[in-house]
Structures are given as structure tokens and as C-alpha cells.
Amino acid sequence: MTTSEVPVLIVGGGPVGLALAAELGWRGVKCFLVEQTDGVIRTPKMNEVNIRTMEYCRRWGIADQVLNCPFPRDYAMDIAFVTSLSGFELARQKRPAKCEQQPGPHSPVNQQICSQLWFDPILHEFALSFPTVSIAHRCRMENFRDTADGLEAEIHHLEDGRRETIRTRFLVACDGATSAIREARGIGLDGTEVLGRPVHLFFRAPNLLERCGMAEATFILAIDDGGLWANIRIIDPANALWRLMVLDTPDGLDADNIDRDAYLRRAVGRDIEVEWVGHSVWIRRGVVAQRYRDGPVFLAGDAAHQLSPTGALGMNTGIGDAVDLAWKIAAVIDGWGGPSLLNSYDAERRAIGTRNVAMATEFLHSHAGFENFSAIVDDTPEGDALRTRIGPELIENVGRMFRTLGLQIGYRYHRSPICIDDGTSDVADDPDKYIPSARPGARAPHVELGEGHSTLDLFGRGFVLLNFGSKAEGTAFKTAASSRGVPLEMVHLEAAEAASIYQRRMVLVRPDGHVAWRGDADPGDAGAVLDRARGAN
């Protein structure tokens, strides 16, 4: 058995593990990712890359790859509510195709459809572009133990049977909902263990909507006389790949004897021939780990939180975990991160996990208000009246899960131990609406700086002190950072709009793009501010 050392060992090669490896590699940190499968995505679990994740992709330089993934640029991203694909359309929520999108006022990027079929390979290629990143598929971590300065993990290379001992300083569990690492550390879950037992049915059906006489849409919700019972989404239009999700099934359903044709017939409204690709029965949960850190072990992604997919928050919440954790691990390895910095990961990200789980569950519960419409499929005056009435209600209530700008970019670390409260009132946390705020803990707001540049492009490598006053202000921070080995860049902005939104003459932004401190004058002790922001006190 061979023995090797690496500062960070990542277990799990889904999008969160890959994003963590990529962010660590981007920061020059050596890491090793192990994944027990071959890494090939056959039936994707995620399809939406939200705005905050796209902002990270922009920072990494891969946003154009996500934007230009094989999902067609001219395909309508509409949300449709129907009795069936061949039946009545109840309502439609318009969303522009990629070719029609324009950046909004609050971000230089838009949410994108990019299935895990394509997103994972993009992240994989990007992570491996850094010489400090190694990835091994068909490789399983079988056990681990604490040591005086970290952990030792036993790795089993499944292809050739070779076993290897990895000595590491930090172990990050990105090993999914049934995380063996979380179980081994005795970390429990808070929340609702079972919200339902959905079925995913994947199939190929060329020209499906055209054959059904339905206008193009990306996400379709089916409501019949049994209520809102399923959704149908296009995964890969070029290859006619679709997914039918039955929202709930009875406990004990035999996964090997699912009547796929009956579910399809109900969704389509008539018999239709398709090529079945795969299926899965899974448990919908709304849970959060009781702690995200246990000594040198950290949880991220589904190992830390499991959300209903209503709202498309699951993978995107995990990417936020990866970015938050990576800059802190890098700071500690590079020597300028203080002894309390890594503890802030739990304080910051567990609060966001709890918030997002609650909202995703609330979105799911909004489906339950649309049940037992006995006349909804009838071609009668009574049926017409019911369909006319219910359409706007569906858009208003169920459609909330597609209007999530505030959820995507409005989250704040307002109780973070490494952010310094300035005494101002917090803005409302509205899932639909985003109110720009540079209050400590918030994502530093986007402001267009001309020629396609954004304030967001200023952040990432180290701390940034934005200066909206005189160029001489803030030099105390530069001196304090230099004496502590903290990477800090001072940026003087003469942008009236940015100054109005940021509201203070000086704003200290962390490497992850969140505000650590702001003020109208040099603090009495800039070093103390930096020490708090880097977890040194």
C-alpha cells in the first residue's frame, strides 16, 4: 500500500465536489478528488445554473461555456401549466430564450439552463486545468481516522484493486445525501426526513410537443382531475431527451415494476411511443446537517443539506458552500487565515442551508392547493370557467418557485463572526425581489462599470477595499494587510451609482465577494478589522 499527502481530500465528484476542486485549484491549493463512479452522467439530477453560480462561472472564466452548452439558444424557456401535453393549456409564464436574454440591473449574468450532462464536464475540465488538482474516478474512500495534524484515509482504486493511504489536512464530504462521512462523524439531520417519494422517468421522444399540438416550453406542470401531480421538462432538445417527474408515489413502490406507460399516458393525454432511457425512485427531503464541521472534516452540498428541487436551489446552494469553504481553506493553508476562520463556514453556510431548505419546502407545499379539480379536463362551460379561473392562481402561487431573484443573490451572512455589523437595518429577505445592499454580510452588489465590466469582476483573489472618497483614504488597511500577509487590493471608484448603492466611503469585500466591513472613515484600528475578517480573533 502506497502513502501520499495532499492538503485537501474531496470525496464525491458531483458538481459541488468539482466546483470545490476548481475553486481550490484557482487559488493554487493542492487537492485530490475521489469519485467511486466513472463520472459519466446518464440521467441528470440538475438542469438550472442560477445567477449566483453563473457569477462564479464568470469569475472562473467558464460562463461562456455554460451559456453555449448544447441547449439551443433559440429554445423558449417558458413555464407552462397544462392538463396534459395534448390537453388544455391553463397558463404560461414567459421566459426569454438564451438569444433574447439581456443582463438585468442586478447582475452581469442570467440564470441558464445547462444540464448536469454538460455542466459536470465543464467543471471537470476547468478543475483539471490547474496543476494542483487531481481527480480519480472509480476510486472509493473506504475508511478514515483522525491524526495529530489531520486525517489518514484509505483509498481503494476499483479498476485495479490498488489501495492507497492519503494523509490530508482537511477532508470535505461531497458524497451526497446518504453521506458515509457524515454518518461516521455522528452528525444528525434536522428537518423533514420524507417530503415525498418522486419518480424520475427519462425518455426520448422526437418532436414531442409538436406531435401533441403544444407550443414550445421548457418546464411543464401537469394538473388534471387528480391535482398537480407531475412535471415534464426538456433536458436535451437536440437529442429529444425528456424527464417526467411524478411528484409523489406510495411508500414501498417497487422501483423495478413501475408502470411507465401509464404515467406517460396520463402526462401526454394519449398513447405515444417513446424510447425509455432510465428511471429512479428517490426520497424528497427538507433537512440540514446539525453541523457542517467536525474537526478537520467538512460537509458540503447534499451531504450538508437536502432540498426539494422546487426552486432549483439544491446544486446551487452546494456551489455556494464550495466557494465559501475554499477561500477559507486556502487562507489557512497560505498562512494568513486565523484560527477561527474555518469555524465561520458552519456559521455562514448552515444558516443559508436552513433558509433555502425552508423556501424550497414552502414552494413544494404551494402545489398542494391545486387538488381534486373534477371538471378541469372537461370540454364544458364548467370546465372552461374552472380553467380560466385557475390559470392566474397557478402563476401566482406555484409560479413563485420560478421567481427567485432574491433567493439567488439576496442571501446574507448577517450573523457571521467574521463580518462586522455597522448598526444599519437589514433589508427584507424576499425570495422574489432583490434589494441591493452593501451591509456587512451581503453579496457586494453589481454595478455596471462600462464596457461590459462589473464591480463583481473586482473581487475574488483576496480582499478588496473599495474607496469612494479620496485616494488617500484606506492606506491604514494596506499597511495592516501587508504586515499580516493578507492579500488586499485597494480600488478607487469614481462611479456615482456604485457610491450610492454601497452607501459608505470605504467597503471591505472578502475573497468570496461578500462585504466584511464598511465605513465613512478609517477605523481606529484597521488591523483589528482585518483580524476579525480573517478569523484571527
Side-chain angles (χ1 to χ4, degrees), residues 230-276:
N231 61 60
I232 311 105
R233 78 165 300 144
I234 183 69
I235 303 294
D236 181 0
N239 290 296
L241 180 63
W242 290 82
R243 185 208 69 205
L244 167 62
M245 181 200 286
V246 181
L247 299 184
D248 200 9
T249 59
D251 186 11
L253 178 74
D254 185 351
D256 296 323
N257 290 287
I258 297 172
D259 193 342
R260 301 176 300 185
D261 293 326
Y263 283 131
L264 183 67
R265 188 183 308 113
R266 184 179 176 187
V268 174
R270 58 185 174 86
D271 289 320
I272 190 170
E273 290 291 324
V274 302
E275 175 193 348
W276 292 107

Side-chain angles (χ1 to χ4, degrees), residues 111-185:
Q111 177 169 318
Q112 294 300 334
I113 292 179
C114 179
S115 168
Q116 190 177 7
L117 294 169
W118 310 307
F119 192 58
D120 279 21
I122 290 171
L123 286 176
H124 183 269
E125 180 183 12
F126 176 61
L128 285 182
S129 70
F130 301 103
T132 55
V133 175
S134 298
I135 297 175
H137 288 103
R138 299 289 295 149
C139 187
R140 184 170 62 222
M141 188 190 75
E142 299 199 330
N143 55 67
F144 63 95
R145 66 179 185 87
D146 289 278
T147 63
D149 54 358
L151 294 154
E152 277 189 355
E154 183 179 329
I155 304 299
H156 184 190
H157 295 265
L158 301 176
E159 294 290 351
D160 59 12
R162 183 168 49 91
R163 293 183 181 274
E164 179 182 7
T165 296
I166 303 288
R167 291 176 180 162
T168 187
R169 193 168 170 185
F170 303 112
L171 170 65
V172 186
C174 301
D175 54 342
T178 59
S179 172
I181 297 172
R182 186 188 66 232
E183 292 293 325
R185 303 304 275 203

Side-chain angles (χ1 to χ4, degrees), residues 67-366:
L67 176 64
N68 296 319
C69 75
F71 196 91
R73 293 183 61 84
D74 59 351
Y75 199 95
M77 294 191 189
D78 291 359
I79 312 301
F81 298 85
V82 301
T83 56
S84 70
L85 299 186
S86 301
F88 297 99
E89 183 168 305
L90 305 169
R92 181 171 286 255
Q93 191 165 315
K94 302 291 287 184
R95 295 197 303 181
K98 290 184 181 184
C99 63
E100 300 170 342
Q101 291 179 350
Q102 295 294 327
H106 303 306
S107 179
V109 297
N110 294 294
Q111 177 169 318
Q112 294 300 334
I113 292 179
C114 179
S115 168
Q116 190 177 7
L117 294 169
W118 310 307
F119 192 58
D120 279 21
I122 290 171
L123 286 176
H124 183 269
E125 180 183 12
F126 176 61
L128 285 182
S129 70
F130 301 103
T132 55
V133 175
S134 298
I135 297 175
H137 288 103
R138 299 289 295 149
C139 187
R140 184 170 62 222
M141 188 190 75
E142 299 199 330
N143 55 67
F144 63 95
R145 66 179 185 87
D146 289 278
T147 63
D149 54 358
L151 294 154
E152 277 189 355
E154 183 179 329
I155 304 299
H156 184 190
H157 295 265
L158 301 176
E159 294 290 351
D160 59 12
R162 183 168 49 91
R163 293 183 181 274
E164 179 182 7
T165 296
I166 303 288
R167 291 176 180 162
T168 187
R169 193 168 170 185
F170 303 112
L171 170 65
V172 186
C174 301
D175 54 342
T178 59
S179 172
I181 297 172
R182 186 188 66 232
E183 292 293 325
R185 303 304 275 203
I187 301 174
L189 298 169
D190 290 331
T192 306
E193 289 281 355
V194 179
L195 289 167
R197 293 176 173 82
V199 171
H200 276 169
L201 302 170
F202 292 88
F203 61 93
R204 286 193 175 87
N207 304 313
L208 176 62
L209 297 185
E210 182 179 323
R211 291 154 67 187
C212 293
M214 181 178 168
E216 199 169 78
T218 295
F219 196 95
I220 304 159
L221 295 100
I223 304 98
D224 60 16
D225 53 8
L228 202 170
W229 70 278
N231 61 60
I232 311 105
R233 78 165 300 144
I234 183 69
I235 303 294
D236 181 0
N239 290 296
L241 180 63
W242 290 82
R243 185 208 69 205
L244 167 62
M245 181 200 286
V246 181
L247 299 184
D248 200 9
T249 59
D251 186 11
L253 178 74
D254 185 351
D256 296 323
N257 290 287
I258 297 172
D259 193 342
R260 301 176 300 185
D261 293 326
Y263 283 131
L264 183 67
R265 188 183 308 113
R266 184 179 176 187
V268 174
R270 58 185 174 86
D271 289 320
I272 190 170
E273 290 291 324
V274 302
E275 175 193 348
W276 292 107
V277 174
H279 73 274
S280 63
V281 180
W282 51 284
I283 297 177
R284 188 194 305 267
R285 304 181 192 275
V287 294
V288 181
Q290 292 172 349
R291 58 186 186 279
Y292 280 21
R293 181 188 186 186
D294 190 87
V297 176
F298 298 85
L299 308 182
D302 284 353
H305 42 72
Q306 295 153 50
L307 296 74
S308 171
T310 38
L313 294 168
M315 183 274 295
N316 293 290
T317 304
I319 299 291
D321 297 340
V323 171
D324 185 272
L325 181 58
W327 82 263
K328 294 169 181 176
I329 285 178
V332 170
I333 288 175
D334 290 344
W336 58 266
S340 299
L341 184 60
L342 291 176
N343 287 335
S344 69
Y345 172 66
D346 177 272
E348 293 184 346
R349 292 307 302 173
R350 189 153 56 92
I352 302 306
T354 300
R355 164 193 187 256
N356 289 1
V357 163
M359 284 311 309
T361 302
E362 184 177 318
F363 291 151
L364 174 67
H365 289 160
S366 72

Side-chain angles (χ1 to χ4, degrees), residues 490-512:
M490 295 177 60
V491 177
H492 183 256
L493 286 180
E494 294 181 353
E497 182 184 0
S500 174
I501 291 174
Y502 279 78
Q503 295 186 339
R504 296 294 184 275
R505 292 168 68 87
M506 288 180 288
V507 180
L508 182 66
V509 182
R510 309 181 333 180
D512 62 344

Side-chain angles (χ1 to χ4, degrees), residues 8-24:
V8 186
L9 175 62
I10 303 167
V11 177
V16 175
L18 290 170
L20 178 61
E23 177 78 359
L24 288 169

